[in-house]
Amino acid sequence: MSIYADFIGMTFNSTNQAETVLEAMGIMRRKALLGLDEAVVVACDPKGQISLRSEFDPTHAEESAARSLLMLLVQAIAEAATGGQALQPGVTARTQTLARYGLDTVLVESVRARLKPDSSAIFFLIPKESLANANAVETILRLFDGQLHRTTLSEQSAVGLSQMVNTVL
């Protein structure tokens, strides 16, 4: 089984911490210290309402399959954290489909348990052929006070998930 991408995230016990991490990693990207193109930030407000925000390198403004896949993965995880409350129409069925295509259910449960009111998270999908190095991203994330979550997606999983992205988004 060949690895297609690393899916890395970090959850925080503060609503704003993921934004702070995103800012710091953006500075590293602009100084060519980190080759990340995109990230998704999840914020859970005091009432438990979850919002998602996609952030990407403006020099790579075209929509990419990796960006769509990243957003789909994070939407499904956020849905699991809200107990099935769909963030968008059609999201509810996606969580089960993602697991069928190989998304690590342990990772989903771990993130779900940490996304509580007044928390946040940041996620990255790092394709194998990317300029970004998944181990470097993990090392940088460990500098912040949060819980690291990481899994890999096989090429087979990525193909299935990409087909799902094309039919759902």
Side-chain angles (χ1 to χ4, degrees), residues 4-7 29 36-41 52-75 88 94 123-127 129-130 153 158 161-162 165-166 169:
Y4 165 76
D6 286 282
F7 181 60
R29 184 188 72 227
L36 285 173
D37 288 340
E38 47 223 13
V40 174
V41 171
L52 305 178
R53 186 170 70 81
S54 177
E55 179 75 24
F56 59 92
D57 182 348
T59 63
H60 299 105
E62 71 282 348
E63 182 70 18
S64 70
R67 183 178 307 148
S68 297
L69 183 55
L70 174 61
M71 185 56 100
L72 179 72
L73 292 170
V74 176
Q75 284 173 341
Q88 290 184 357
R94 294 181 200 172
F123 294 94
F124 306 94
L125 183 67
I126 304 169
E129 74 281 352
S130 169
L153 296 176
L161 290 165
S162 294
V165 167
N166 292 331
L169 296 181

Side-chain angles (χ1 to χ4, degrees), residues 1-2 27 30 33 39 55-56 76 88 118 125 140:
M1 174 173 68
S2 181
I27 291 167
R30 288 188 295 279
L33 299 173
E55 179 75 24
F56 59 92
Q88 290 184 357
D118 284 325
L125 183 67
I140 291 166

Side-chain angles (χ1 to χ4, degrees), residues 9 11-12 16-17 48-49 80 84 105 108 115 130-131 141 156 169:
T11 50
F12 305 97
N16 299 321
Q17 186 66 24
Q49 295 296 311
T105 55
V108 173
L115 276 178
S130 169
L131 293 176
L141 284 173
Q156 181 180 2
L169 296 181

Side-chain angles (χ1 to χ4, degrees), residues 48-161:
Q49 295 296 311
I50 291 180
S51 62
L52 305 178
R53 186 170 70 81
S54 177
E55 179 75 24
F56 59 92
D57 182 348
T59 63
H60 299 105
E62 71 282 348
E63 182 70 18
S64 70
R67 183 178 307 148
S68 297
L69 183 55
L70 174 61
M71 185 56 100
L72 179 72
L73 292 170
V74 176
Q75 284 173 341
I77 291 170
E79 175 206 287
T82 61
Q85 174 188 346
L87 298 173
Q88 290 184 357
V91 174
T92 302
R94 294 181 200 172
T95 304
Q96 294 169 340
T97 304
L98 289 170
R100 189 171 60 242
Y101 283 116
L103 181 62
D104 183 354
T105 55
V106 172
L107 178 137
V108 173
E109 281 303 306
S110 176
V111 172
R112 185 196 61 72
R114 302 262 312 173
L115 276 178
K116 303 288 183 201
D118 284 325
S119 66
S120 62
I122 188 166
F123 294 94
F124 306 94
L125 183 67
I126 304 169
K128 183 173 69 172
E129 74 281 352
S130 169
L131 293 176
N133 177 303
N135 292 330
V137 171
E138 181 178 330
T139 299
I140 291 166
L141 284 173
R142 288 188 185 280
L143 298 172
F144 297 93
D145 186 28
Q147 176 68 45
L148 186 72
H149 310 275
R150 182 175 179 177
T151 192
T152 57
L153 296 176
S154 69
E155 287 183 21
Q156 181 180 2
S157 294
V159 167
L161 290 165

